[in-house]
Short mmCIF file of all heavy atoms in Angstrom, two decimals:
data_model
loop_
_atom_site.label_atom_id
_atom_site.label_comp_id
_atom_site.label_asym_id
_atom_site.label_seq_id
_atom_site.Cartn_x
_atom_site.Cartn_y
_atom_site.Cartn_z
N THR A 19 15.83 1.98 -4.89
CA THR A 19 15.45 1.39 -6.16
C THR A 19 14.37 2.22 -6.85
O THR A 19 14.42 2.44 -8.06
CB THR A 19 14.94 -0.06 -5.96
OG1 THR A 19 15.80 -0.72 -5.06
CG2 THR A 19 14.91 -0.81 -7.27
N ALA A 20 13.42 2.69 -6.05
CA ALA A 20 12.35 3.52 -6.61
C ALA A 20 12.92 4.80 -7.20
O ALA A 20 12.52 5.25 -8.27
CB ALA A 20 11.31 3.85 -5.53
N TYR A 21 13.87 5.39 -6.48
CA TYR A 21 14.49 6.63 -6.96
C TYR A 21 15.20 6.38 -8.29
O TYR A 21 15.04 7.14 -9.24
CB TYR A 21 15.48 7.15 -5.91
CG TYR A 21 16.29 8.32 -6.38
CD1 TYR A 21 15.77 9.61 -6.34
CD2 TYR A 21 17.57 8.13 -6.91
CE1 TYR A 21 16.51 10.69 -6.80
CE2 TYR A 21 18.32 9.20 -7.37
CZ TYR A 21 17.78 10.47 -7.31
OH TYR A 21 18.52 11.53 -7.77
N ARG A 22 15.98 5.32 -8.35
CA ARG A 22 16.72 5.03 -9.59
C ARG A 22 15.75 4.73 -10.74
O ARG A 22 15.97 5.15 -11.87
CB ARG A 22 17.66 3.84 -9.39
CG ARG A 22 18.81 4.15 -8.46
CD ARG A 22 19.95 3.15 -8.64
NE ARG A 22 20.90 3.31 -7.56
CZ ARG A 22 20.88 2.59 -6.43
NH1 ARG A 22 19.96 1.66 -6.26
NH2 ARG A 22 21.77 2.80 -5.50
N TYR A 23 14.68 4.03 -10.39
CA TYR A 23 13.67 3.75 -11.42
C TYR A 23 13.07 5.05 -11.95
O TYR A 23 12.93 5.24 -13.16
CB TYR A 23 12.56 2.87 -10.83
CG TYR A 23 11.38 2.74 -11.75
CD1 TYR A 23 11.40 1.83 -12.80
CD2 TYR A 23 10.27 3.56 -11.61
CE1 TYR A 23 10.33 1.74 -13.67
CE2 TYR A 23 9.21 3.48 -12.47
CZ TYR A 23 9.24 2.57 -13.50
OH TYR A 23 8.20 2.50 -14.38
N ALA A 24 12.70 5.94 -11.02
CA ALA A 24 12.05 7.20 -11.42
C ALA A 24 12.99 7.99 -12.32
O ALA A 24 12.58 8.52 -13.37
CB ALA A 24 11.67 8.00 -10.18
N ARG A 25 14.26 8.07 -11.95
CA ARG A 25 15.22 8.82 -12.77
C ARG A 25 15.38 8.20 -14.15
O ARG A 25 15.43 8.90 -15.16
CB ARG A 25 16.57 8.87 -12.07
CG ARG A 25 16.70 10.10 -11.19
CD ARG A 25 18.10 10.30 -10.73
NE ARG A 25 19.05 10.36 -11.85
CZ ARG A 25 20.25 10.87 -11.73
NH1 ARG A 25 20.63 11.37 -10.59
NH2 ARG A 25 21.07 10.88 -12.75
N ALA A 26 15.45 6.89 -14.17
CA ALA A 26 15.62 6.20 -15.46
C ALA A 26 14.40 6.41 -16.35
O ALA A 26 14.53 6.65 -17.55
CB ALA A 26 15.85 4.72 -15.22
N ALA A 27 13.21 6.36 -15.73
CA ALA A 27 11.98 6.53 -16.51
C ALA A 27 11.92 7.94 -17.09
O ALA A 27 11.56 8.14 -18.27
CB ALA A 27 10.75 6.26 -15.63
N ILE A 28 12.28 8.92 -16.27
CA ILE A 28 12.30 10.31 -16.76
C ILE A 28 13.31 10.45 -17.89
O ILE A 28 13.04 11.09 -18.91
CB ILE A 28 12.64 11.28 -15.59
CG1 ILE A 28 11.47 11.31 -14.59
CG2 ILE A 28 12.91 12.68 -16.13
CD1 ILE A 28 11.81 11.99 -13.27
N GLY A 29 14.45 9.80 -17.73
CA GLY A 29 15.48 9.84 -18.76
C GLY A 29 15.02 9.27 -20.08
O GLY A 29 15.49 9.66 -21.15
N LEU A 30 14.07 8.36 -20.03
CA LEU A 30 13.53 7.75 -21.25
C LEU A 30 12.34 8.54 -21.79
O LEU A 30 11.68 8.10 -22.72
CB LEU A 30 13.11 6.30 -20.97
CG LEU A 30 14.25 5.31 -20.77
CD1 LEU A 30 13.71 3.96 -20.31
CD2 LEU A 30 15.04 5.14 -22.07
N GLY A 31 12.03 9.68 -21.16
CA GLY A 31 10.97 10.53 -21.68
C GLY A 31 9.61 10.30 -21.04
O GLY A 31 8.62 10.88 -21.46
N HIS A 32 9.54 9.44 -20.03
CA HIS A 32 8.26 9.23 -19.34
C HIS A 32 8.06 10.32 -18.29
O HIS A 32 9.00 11.00 -17.88
CB HIS A 32 8.23 7.86 -18.66
CG HIS A 32 8.37 6.72 -19.63
ND1 HIS A 32 7.43 6.45 -20.59
CD2 HIS A 32 9.36 5.80 -19.79
CE1 HIS A 32 7.82 5.41 -21.31
NE2 HIS A 32 8.99 5.00 -20.85
N GLN A 33 6.82 10.44 -17.86
CA GLN A 33 6.51 11.43 -16.82
C GLN A 33 6.19 10.71 -15.52
O GLN A 33 5.35 9.80 -15.48
CB GLN A 33 5.29 12.26 -17.27
CG GLN A 33 4.96 13.37 -16.29
CD GLN A 33 3.58 13.97 -16.56
OE1 GLN A 33 2.88 13.57 -17.50
NE2 GLN A 33 3.19 14.91 -15.74
N ILE A 34 6.89 11.06 -14.46
CA ILE A 34 6.53 10.55 -13.13
C ILE A 34 5.55 11.57 -12.54
O ILE A 34 5.90 12.72 -12.28
CB ILE A 34 7.76 10.40 -12.22
CG1 ILE A 34 8.81 9.48 -12.86
CG2 ILE A 34 7.35 9.89 -10.84
CD1 ILE A 34 8.40 8.02 -12.94
N THR A 35 4.32 11.14 -12.37
CA THR A 35 3.28 12.08 -11.94
C THR A 35 3.26 12.25 -10.43
O THR A 35 3.02 13.34 -9.93
CB THR A 35 1.89 11.58 -12.39
OG1 THR A 35 1.74 10.24 -11.92
CG2 THR A 35 1.78 11.63 -13.89
N ARG A 36 3.48 11.17 -9.73
CA ARG A 36 3.32 11.23 -8.29
C ARG A 36 4.12 10.09 -7.65
O ARG A 36 4.17 8.99 -8.20
CB ARG A 36 1.84 11.07 -7.93
CG ARG A 36 1.52 11.09 -6.44
CD ARG A 36 0.02 11.04 -6.21
NE ARG A 36 -0.65 12.21 -6.76
CZ ARG A 36 -1.96 12.30 -7.02
NH1 ARG A 36 -2.73 11.27 -6.79
NH2 ARG A 36 -2.48 13.40 -7.52
N VAL A 37 4.72 10.39 -6.52
CA VAL A 37 5.33 9.33 -5.72
C VAL A 37 4.55 9.28 -4.41
O VAL A 37 4.38 10.31 -3.74
CB VAL A 37 6.83 9.59 -5.45
CG1 VAL A 37 7.44 8.44 -4.67
CG2 VAL A 37 7.58 9.79 -6.76
N PHE A 38 4.04 8.10 -4.09
CA PHE A 38 3.24 7.95 -2.88
C PHE A 38 4.01 7.09 -1.89
O PHE A 38 4.42 5.97 -2.20
CB PHE A 38 1.89 7.30 -3.22
CG PHE A 38 0.90 7.37 -2.10
CD1 PHE A 38 0.02 8.43 -1.99
CD2 PHE A 38 0.84 6.36 -1.13
CE1 PHE A 38 -0.90 8.51 -0.94
CE2 PHE A 38 -0.08 6.42 -0.08
CZ PHE A 38 -0.95 7.50 0.01
N PHE A 39 4.22 7.61 -0.70
CA PHE A 39 4.95 6.91 0.34
C PHE A 39 3.95 6.33 1.34
O PHE A 39 3.13 7.06 1.91
CB PHE A 39 5.92 7.86 1.05
CG PHE A 39 7.01 8.39 0.14
CD1 PHE A 39 6.77 9.49 -0.67
CD2 PHE A 39 8.24 7.77 0.09
CE1 PHE A 39 7.77 9.97 -1.52
CE2 PHE A 39 9.24 8.24 -0.76
CZ PHE A 39 9.00 9.35 -1.56
N TYR A 40 4.01 5.01 1.50
CA TYR A 40 3.03 4.31 2.34
C TYR A 40 3.79 3.32 3.23
O TYR A 40 4.93 2.97 2.96
CB TYR A 40 2.04 3.58 1.43
CG TYR A 40 0.75 3.06 2.07
CD1 TYR A 40 0.26 3.60 3.25
CD2 TYR A 40 0.02 2.05 1.45
CE1 TYR A 40 -0.91 3.12 3.81
CE2 TYR A 40 -1.16 1.57 2.00
CZ TYR A 40 -1.62 2.11 3.18
OH TYR A 40 -2.79 1.64 3.73
N GLY A 41 3.17 2.85 4.29
CA GLY A 41 3.83 1.89 5.18
C GLY A 41 5.15 2.44 5.69
O GLY A 41 5.27 3.63 6.01
N GLU A 42 6.16 1.57 5.73
CA GLU A 42 7.47 2.00 6.23
C GLU A 42 8.12 3.04 5.33
O GLU A 42 9.07 3.72 5.73
CB GLU A 42 8.40 0.78 6.38
CG GLU A 42 7.92 -0.29 7.34
CD GLU A 42 7.59 0.24 8.72
OE1 GLU A 42 8.39 1.04 9.24
OE2 GLU A 42 6.54 -0.12 9.26
N GLY A 43 7.62 3.15 4.11
CA GLY A 43 8.19 4.13 3.18
C GLY A 43 8.11 5.56 3.68
O GLY A 43 8.90 6.42 3.26
N VAL A 44 7.19 5.83 4.60
CA VAL A 44 7.01 7.21 5.07
C VAL A 44 8.26 7.74 5.80
O VAL A 44 8.48 8.95 5.87
CB VAL A 44 5.78 7.39 5.99
CG1 VAL A 44 4.52 6.90 5.30
CG2 VAL A 44 5.97 6.67 7.33
N HIS A 45 9.08 6.82 6.32
CA HIS A 45 10.30 7.27 7.02
C HIS A 45 11.22 8.04 6.06
O HIS A 45 12.03 8.85 6.50
CB HIS A 45 11.05 6.09 7.62
CG HIS A 45 10.36 5.51 8.83
ND1 HIS A 45 10.13 6.25 9.98
CD2 HIS A 45 9.85 4.29 9.07
CE1 HIS A 45 9.52 5.48 10.87
NE2 HIS A 45 9.33 4.30 10.34
N GLY A 46 11.09 7.79 4.79
CA GLY A 46 11.91 8.50 3.81
C GLY A 46 11.60 9.97 3.73
O GLY A 46 12.35 10.74 3.11
#
Side-chain angles (χ1 to χ4, degrees):
Chain A
T19 316
Y21 173 82
R22 291 199 192 94
Y23 170 82
R25 269 192 55 162
I28 291 167
L30 288 172
H32 299 295
Q33 184 193 358
I34 302 291
T35 53
R36 179 175 297 162
V37 182
F38 192 91
F39 296 84
Y40 194 22
E42 299 306 316
V44 304
H45 287 299

